[in-house]
Amino acid sequence: MSASRRSGTTDELGPDEPERPGPDGSDLLAALLDGMDAALCAFDADGVVTHWNREAERILGWSAREAVGRRGFAGWAVREADAPEVESRLTSAMHAPGRQVHEFALLTKDGGRVLVRTQSAAVHGTDGKPAGLYCAFSEVHAQIDLERSIALSEALLEDASWGVVLVDADLRPAVVNAHAARALGTGRTTVLGRPLGELLTRGVEELENALTHVLAEGAPPAPVEMWVGVRSPDGEKRRCWRSGFLRLASPLTEEPVPLGVAWLFQDVTEAKLGEQEAALLRFRANQLHRASRAAAECEDPAEAATVHLDFALAGFADHAVIDRVEGPPAADGEASGGGNRARRLVRVAATPSGGPGPSALTGHAGLPVRYADGHPALQCVARAGSVRASAGTVAAEEAREWARARQWPEDTVHALCAVLRSRGRTLGVVTFLRGAGRSPFERSDATYAEDVAVRIAGSLDLAGATDAGARGASGGVEGGIA
């Protein structure tokens, strides 16, 4: 009968409905004690064991039936020689505030010894006086493992030299350590619960895809290198983070329930940029070497110039043109016989703008290119140095108009002009062109273009000398005949 039935009152169940039985206090206490992960025993004021749970039975082998009712641990759970010291430590907790922590060896039922760490505290009666004590204990190595795990978690989230972010099942940061907060350019608390898209400008899709995969399939077998864009007061910062992922599952459930993902990352931007630069330098050096070997097999020096241009174009630019100074080039400091004619350029070779293909020799008619004053190619010739130009961040139609005004293919957005110099004379200019899908030319690109220009200039100089020699030989024969 429920309390209401025993008191003669009625409740909402009605007189004919069956009562719902519930556990009494002793059943509930037994269930709680047996469900604990730690071993627990309790003593009354006289030192008699009153409670003994299943974890205590697992560790020592003594069942609750065998343990409850015994006075102290002497002779069964503790050696006789150790009993006075152990019992003194335990009973001291009845008269001390808070919990007392001790370590000592207990005996198992089969005679073995187990080193345990105990936490003991007094149990007070209704009058406030000590009525006994409880003692929770676990094997020392298990306790040390737990403490190590806790210490590791705290160290990762406080002092780690790499970023640690705990992401929940909704792919939102739940815990962020100090290193990760600095890398994200924000505080540890302001980042919590925010979508990753609010923290990163690039790489969000790749990162979310990795987190989703880990939640569903588990951790990848190796770290992943991802390029991301981080918001900063100065604009976007492009960083490369080497990331590792671990799926977090609850240890309190029979089936693994994902709690989220631990995302650990290191900033390897400088190392990756160094690797990319080294790889680029190796590739360009190989291209120069291969171009020199191929050009050496060309009978026509002008054809050798186009060979150098074709090899340089790979991975460097989308289009390229070679323009030579009209008329015989003058040495530095010498007057050009045509006055302003030295600044006029004639197209020598160009890559096809409609599709891929080798460079073609052009300009046989000797007509000058219609470059307006201030054109980058003319500036390059005047300065005898490299000139970079870019359309900038403008609309597509404005970029096409910018390219058309400079006599370049309409898809051109970035240009780099390198002067052709040989034997102290300016022979012309080679112009490399990039479309919108490429980045602007940088100083390292200009250095490479200048290396290519030296080789092209040598070939064009040889071609001019060969043509002049052929014309001189032809004139000498005709004079002899006359």
Side-chain angles (χ1 to χ4, degrees):
M1 297 285 288
S2 66
S4 61
R5 297 295 188 213
R6 288 194 296 268
S7 61
T9 61
T10 60
D11 55 26
E12 295 180 359
L13 290 174
D16 298 327
E17 295 183 21
E19 288 191 39
R20 291 189 290 268
D24 58 20
S26 61
D27 293 337
L28 180 59
L29 178 61
L32 289 173
L33 293 179
D34 287 339
M36 293 177 60
D37 291 332
L40 185 136
C41 64
F43 302 87
D44 61 16
D46 297 325
V48 176
V49 178
T50 59
H51 295 82
W52 189 267
N53 72 349
R54 289 183 180 175
E55 184 65 13
E57 178 180 349
R58 185 193 69 79
I59 293 176
L60 298 181
W62 300 98
S63 66
R65 186 183 298 275
E66 295 170 312
V68 173
R70 292 177 180 265
R71 183 181 295 275
F73 283 157
W76 63 286
V78 174
R79 293 191 311 174
E80 291 286 354
D82 300 333
E85 180 184 359
V86 171
E87 292 182 0
S88 173
R89 291 184 183 182
L90 291 177
T91 55
S92 66
M94 294 181 62
H95 308 286
R99 292 177 296 175
Q100 302 291 312
V101 179
H102 301 285
E103 289 185 6
F104 44 76
L106 296 180
L107 291 177
T108 62
K109 187 175 182 180
D110 57 7
R113 300 181 72 193
V114 179
L115 183 64
V116 298
R117 178 174 295 177
T118 65
Q119 296 186 33
S120 305
V123 178
H124 296 88
T126 56
D127 56 359
K129 296 181 180 180
L133 63 90
Y134 76 85
C135 174
F137 62 91
S138 60
E139 298 175 77
V140 167
H141 70 83
Q143 183 72 17
I144 291 176
D145 288 343
L146 175 60
E147 292 179 1
R148 283 180 182 147
S149 298
I150 296 174
L152 174 62
S153 299
E154 293 181 351
L156 286 175
L157 297 176
E158 294 292 339
D159 306 322
S161 59
W162 55 85
V164 180
V165 180
L166 302 187
V167 183
D168 62 21
D170 294 327
L171 306 186
R172 295 173 183 255
V175 181
V176 177
N177 76 341
H179 187 97
R182 289 193 299 269
L184 293 168
T186 183
R188 294 186 61 181
T189 56
T190 57
V191 72
L192 302 183
R194 296 172 59 186
L196 295 173
E198 294 183 5
L199 306 174
L200 303 175
T201 58
R202 296 189 188 184
V204 178
E205 296 81 3
E206 183 181 1
L207 177 58
E208 290 182 343
N209 180 63
L211 295 172
T212 303
H213 173 81
V214 173
L215 282 172
E217 305 292 339
V224 181
E225 292 179 352
M226 294 184 293
W227 284 93
V228 300
V230 182
R231 302 182 190 275
S232 71
D234 300 329
E236 180 187 83
K237 293 193 302 183
R238 191 164 176 261
R239 313 302 296 172
C240 181
W241 290 345
R242 180 173 292 143
S243 303
F245 301 93
L246 297 171
R247 181 168 60 179
L248 304 178
S250 174
L252 304 179
T253 57
E254 294 183 3
E255 295 294 330
V257 177
L259 298 178
V261 177
W263 171 32
L264 295 84
F265 65 88
Q266 269 189 319
D267 193 321
V268 294
T269 307
E270 301 304 324
K272 292 301 294 182
L273 291 177
E275 292 176 6
Q276 291 178 358
E277 183 177 356
L280 183 61
L281 290 175
R282 286 195 301 270
F283 173 76
R284 290 179 175 177
N286 286 334
Q287 288 297 99
L288 291 175
H289 174 72
R290 294 172 60 196
S292 297
R293 291 178 60 88
E297 302 301 323
C298 297
E299 296 183 5
D300 183 1
E303 182 184 353
T306 63
V307 167
H308 285 293
L309 190 66
D310 290 334
F311 274 94
L313 207 64
F316 183 68
D318 298 316
H319 308 293
V321 296
I322 300 175
D323 301 321
R324 65 173 175 81
V325 175
E326 184 184 32
D332 293 348
E334 296 181 5
S336 176
N340 196 38
R341 288 172 58 82
R343 295 180 56 86
R344 301 175 66 180
L345 298 175
V346 176
R347 181 65 44 84
V348 174
T351 57
S353 59
S359 304
L361 292 171
T362 60
H364 300 292
L367 297 177
V369 186
R370 295 181 295 108
Y371 286 153
D373 290 340
H375 191 281
L378 297 178
Q379 295 181 34
C380 179
V381 172
R383 297 177 186 177
S386 299
V387 174
R388 285 177 282 173
S390 178
T393 55
V394 297
E397 183 57 35
E398 293 182 31
R400 285 193 289 269
E401 182 60 31
W402 178 85
R404 283 194 295 264
R406 287 156 180 79
Q407 307 298 316
W408 292 331
E410 291 188 353
D411 58 349
T412 299
V413 176
H414 312 293
L416 171 60
C417 300
V419 66
L420 303 177
R421 298 273 296 175
S422 178
R423 294 190 294 167
R425 301 173 303 163
T426 297
L427 305 183
V429 58
V430 56
T431 303
F432 295 97
L433 307 172
R434 287 179 177 176
R438 292 179 179 267
S439 61
F441 288 100
E442 299 179 356
R443 180 55 202 159
S444 59
D445 298 323
T447 302
Y448 177 62
E450 290 165 2
D451 288 342
V452 176
V454 169
R455 290 164 168 78
I456 293 176
S459 297
L460 291 182
D461 194 10
L462 180 59
T466 302
D467 292 343
R471 289 193 298 270
S474 175
V477 170
E478 291 175 357
I481 294 175

